[in-house]
Amino acid sequence: MSDLTLREVHKYYGEVHAVRGVDLDIPEGAFAVLVGPSGCGKSTLLRMVAGLEEVDSGEIAIGGQVVNRLRPKDRNIAMVFQNYALYPYLSVFDNIAFGLRARKLAETEVAARVRRASEMLDIAELMQRYPRQLSGGQRQRVAIGRAVVRDAGMFLFDEPLSNLDAQLRDEMRIELKRLHQDIGKTTVYVTHDQIEAMTLADRIVLLRDGQIEQEGSPLDLFERPRTRFVAGFLGSPQMNFIPATGKMVGELMTVSFDENTTLAFPRAHGGAEDPVTSLGHRRDPARTYRAGPRGGDGPARPGPAGGSDRSGPAHGHARLYAVQAGRNRGHRRAGGARGGTAGHADATMGRHEPGDRHRPAHRRGGVTSGLGRRR
């Protein structure tokens, strides 16, 4: 296995600065997903790692070795492309074996590796078919099998599921995760689909305009977003943003979004000088409680099978985020991107208990940090 290190990597296309000083460390055996909107530089970054694009400045190291000047075939990597790139005139067996034969491996070794890969990917019965005789999912499995037989130190996937229908994408996500658990190799996966990123990755790198906006575990980005962009990009349904104002009172940040409602947040990693611009609200559909009779105070305890021991309408819990402007502070964010984009979601989330919506504003308590509840 190999780890991956990028240091101040830049890429230009004429006057377009596609990748802007990216710093990134991916440990051995990790499943890292590069995610972001179209044009953010994720595929360009992957192609530079693969050696298909030159690095204009900075260093890329695989397994501790700087590979900037190495050809793709010398980097000990295997790549799966978006369009499969299968040879139409070769059988499935010959497509998978092509790279091994190009490396002059013995035919017995070639046959053994192809057989192992076909059994792992459940395509053993397709060995004599041609690409035109396969479904989209089967073609993708063949493309993955061609990468797996290389026994490379790192696997690169460039949006491999984007051409598949929704149901097949769900099935292939399961297959890819199982494959990674079986082979245990470092995997870098590019997608614009946040669902793929959240379900596949043990480490997410969210890019925007050629820079890393935030990187970390899926739960870390979802629950502790560092910028408004991160907060709005990840999660389904998307976060709602309500105009708000706020100020520091001791160690608490008080946030007001109408004349009668004020919430108190503990200060997280934002600065007291950063003005609050909005309040982010994300519904938590995983936990639903029912209010007491006639909307009485206090949350009901969840009853058996997701029910409740009180009557009344159901209310989902919600997470709240105080969003600060935080412009041009020049702080260094995780992964190496620098400040200057709009807003940090700094005062972290809490949850509204359903009973709180019926209380007057002056009786409402502050929101605890992390996953705490309102008190």
Side-chain angles (χ1 to χ4, degrees):
M1 291 189 292
S2 302
D3 60 340
L4 175 65
T5 302
L6 286 77
R7 289 289 175 264
E8 289 295 327
V9 173
H10 290 263
K11 180 65 181 177
Y12 295 86
Y13 294 102
E15 296 182 357
V16 178
H17 197 177
V19 176
R20 308 182 180 201
V22 168
D23 290 333
L24 180 64
D25 295 287
I26 298 175
E28 289 187 21
F31 196 121
V33 174
L34 308 182
V35 66
S38 296
C40 68
K42 53 188 184 295
S43 289
T44 301
L45 201 60
L46 192 78
R47 290 173 64 84
M48 286 194 289
V49 173
L52 303 178
E53 296 279 357
E54 292 185 0
V55 179
D56 289 332
S57 66
E59 286 187 349
I60 297 177
I62 298 175
Q65 178 186 11
V66 177
V67 297
N68 289 39
R69 298 185 178 278
L70 290 183
R71 293 178 294 180
K73 73 182 186 68
D74 298 324
R75 298 190 181 200
N76 193 28
I77 59 173
M79 188 166 181
V80 178
F81 296 91
Q82 180 177 351
N83 61 356
Y84 315 140
L86 301 179
Y87 297 105
Y89 52 85
L90 295 181
S91 67
V92 169
F93 182 95
D94 292 333
N95 263 285
I96 296 176
F98 186 87
L100 302 178
R101 288 170 173 164
R103 291 173 178 267
K104 311 295 184 183
L105 267 67
E107 198 62 30
T108 54
E109 177 67 13
V110 170
R113 290 196 186 188
V114 173
R115 184 178 65 254
R116 286 197 300 270
S118 66
E119 291 172 352
M120 184 183 303
L121 295 166
D122 196 24
I123 55 173
E125 72 281 2
L126 306 177
M127 288 294 100
Q128 300 309 313
R129 294 191 189 181
Y130 289 87
R132 64 179 178 274
Q133 299 170 315
L134 304 177
S135 68
Q138 290 169 337
R139 292 179 189 178
Q140 192 57 270
R141 284 188 174 91
V142 174
I144 294 170
R146 187 170 56 186
V148 168
V149 295
R150 285 278 315 279
D151 195 27
M154 181 179 299
F155 291 92
L156 309 179
F157 292 85
D158 188 6
E159 302 199 45
L161 308 185
S162 60
N163 293 332
L164 306 180
D165 61 69
Q167 181 176 351
L168 200 51
R169 281 201 301 271
D170 290 342
E171 295 173 1
M172 286 303 300
R173 280 199 291 267
I174 296 171
E175 292 291 329
L176 287 171
K177 193 63 177 178
R178 181 183 60 79
L179 180 64
H180 176 255
Q181 292 170 347
D182 289 343
I183 62 179
K185 298 293 181 69
T186 307
T187 301
V188 184
Y189 186 103
V190 163
T191 183
H192 63 272
D193 187 336
Q194 58 156 311
I195 296 176
E196 282 184 22
M198 296 294 287
T199 55
L200 283 173
D202 50 43
R203 190 184 190 99
I204 290 179
V205 182
L206 179 54
L207 292 105
R208 180 189 187 193
D209 296 333
Q211 292 180 304
I212 294 177
E213 194 80 0
Q214 187 174 348
E215 61 107 356
S217 69
L219 192 61
D220 190 41
L221 268 68
F222 182 79
E223 295 191 338
R224 288 171 288 278
R226 292 186 65 89
T227 70
R228 176 168 174 163
F229 174 78
V230 177
F233 186 85
L234 293 177
S236 182
Q238 289 186 335
M239 184 180 293
N240 296 311
F241 294 98
I242 306 166
T245 58
K247 61 182 179 180
M248 294 301 301
V249 179
E251 288 300 312
L252 292 178
M253 176 186 293
T254 60
V255 178
S256 302
F257 55 93
D258 63 34
E259 294 181 356
N260 300 315
T261 308
T262 300
L263 301 176
F265 289 76
R267 186 167 67 183
H269 43 73
E273 72 278 10
D274 293 334
V276 170
T277 60
S278 57
L279 185 72
H281 170 276
R282 176 182 282 142
R283 182 169 175 262
D284 184 359
R287 301 183 63 195
T288 301
Y289 288 75
R290 291 184 180 276
R294 300 180 182 176
D297 287 348
R301 293 186 178 134
S308 171
D309 60 3
R310 291 185 182 180
S311 61
H315 305 286
H317 278 215
R319 293 185 173 93
L320 297 175
Y321 302 73
V323 183
Q324 294 176 260
R327 295 179 182 274
N328 300 319
R329 295 198 330 164
H331 75 288
R332 194 166 186 80
R333 292 200 288 270
R338 291 190 178 274
T341 58
H344 311 299
D346 278 332
T348 60
M349 76 306 260
R351 284 184 174 134
H352 276 297
E353 293 292 356
D356 281 353
R357 66 193 292 272
H358 305 288
R359 299 178 188 175
H362 70 272
R363 291 181 58 194
R364 295 178 179 174
V367 181
T368 63
S369 63
L371 294 178
R373 299 179 181 176
R374 295 183 55 83
R375 303 197 183 273

